[in-house]
Amino acid sequence: MSHNPTPKTDLEKMQAGEWYSCLDPEISALRHRALEACHEHSVLYPVDRGNIGPKLRALFAKCADDVRIEARFHCAYGINIHLAEDVFLNVGCVILDTAPVKIGRHSMLGPNVQIYCADHHRDPELRKQHLEIARPVTIGDNVWIGGGAIILPGITVGDEAIIGAGSVVTRDVAAGTTVVGNPAKPVAR
């Protein structure tokens, strides 16, 4: 008797780093839950919201007690976001967390920083099928990311690195390095 394993769901494929359809109903439901949490975070009066709206805090995989996220904030799912102690995200940050996004202790993200984990297919026929793949992003401890910077899928930023405002990070950033520009390149501190 042959054993036919149950095929993976698109969510399981996303979590495994395989190609999946981002329009899958199960994934769409998770995205809707994140939209509601982000909306609550953005519309609560600051005194009622505190550092993070309650639905948003409950959504995250990990969120230290002293994390602060300014409103407006957007995430794709929230369930893949890990925020260590004393992390600060300024107004307008976007995290498309189709894969784990880990932000280390004492790291600061300026206004409108964007972190992308979703990568779309290069073949236009497959891209029309809404296929994407999730690549994790890791940001070390005590990192400063200037306003408007974009971190592309699969990037690791080492401890104490600085990413200049408006930079597009297309390659890993070594610990203690400052990078600026598009694409971001190391400069002397």
Side-chain angles (χ1 to χ4, degrees):
M1 175 160 46
S2 68
H3 180 268
N4 290 331
T6 305
K8 288 182 182 176
T9 66
D10 280 297
L11 179 58
E12 290 169 334
K13 290 177 188 176
M14 182 177 86
Q15 293 167 334
E18 300 170 5
W19 291 101
Y20 65 93
S21 169
C22 60
L23 298 183
D24 172 77
E26 183 180 19
I27 292 174
S28 293
L30 290 172
R31 204 167 36 249
H32 182 76
R33 192 173 100 190
L35 285 171
E36 287 183 352
C38 290
H39 177 75
E40 178 199 70
H41 175 79
S42 294
V43 300
L44 282 172
Y45 283 102
V47 70
D48 296 329
R49 179 182 66 233
N51 286 342
I52 303 174
K55 285 185 181 179
L56 191 57
R57 181 179 292 280
L59 196 62
F60 292 149
K62 177 188 173 201
C63 184
D65 291 340
D66 60 352
V67 168
R68 179 169 178 80
I69 300 177
E70 294 290 343
R72 296 214 168 255
F73 169 78
H74 176 79
C75 62
Y77 304 102
I79 60 174
N80 291 314
I81 297 175
H82 304 254
L83 303 172
E85 294 77 18
D86 194 33
V87 166
F88 175 71
L89 279 63
N90 211 324
V91 64
C93 286
V94 173
I95 302 178
L96 301 184
D97 62 309
T98 56
V101 173
K102 296 179 179 176
I103 301 177
R105 297 175 302 125
H106 314 293
S107 290
M108 299 183 299
L109 280 64
N112 300 311
V113 168
Q114 300 173 54
I115 298 173
Y116 305 149
C117 293
D119 197 359
H120 300 279
H121 213 289
R122 301 304 182 261
D123 180 320
E125 290 304 312
L126 294 173
R127 194 166 52 246
K128 281 195 305 192
Q129 297 173 29
H130 306 285
L131 291 181
E132 62 185 39
I133 195 165
R135 303 192 190 286
V137 171
T138 302
I139 297 172
D141 294 339
N142 202 26
V143 171
W144 176 23
I145 302 177
I150 298 172
I151 313 298
L152 294 183
I155 296 296
T156 297
V157 178
D159 294 345
E160 300 184 357
I162 298 172
I163 297 171
S167 297
V168 178
V169 181
T170 61
R171 290 185 174 17
D172 289 350
V173 178
T177 303
T178 298
V179 298
V180 299
N182 180 4
K185 294 184 179 169
V187 295
R189 279 195 180 178

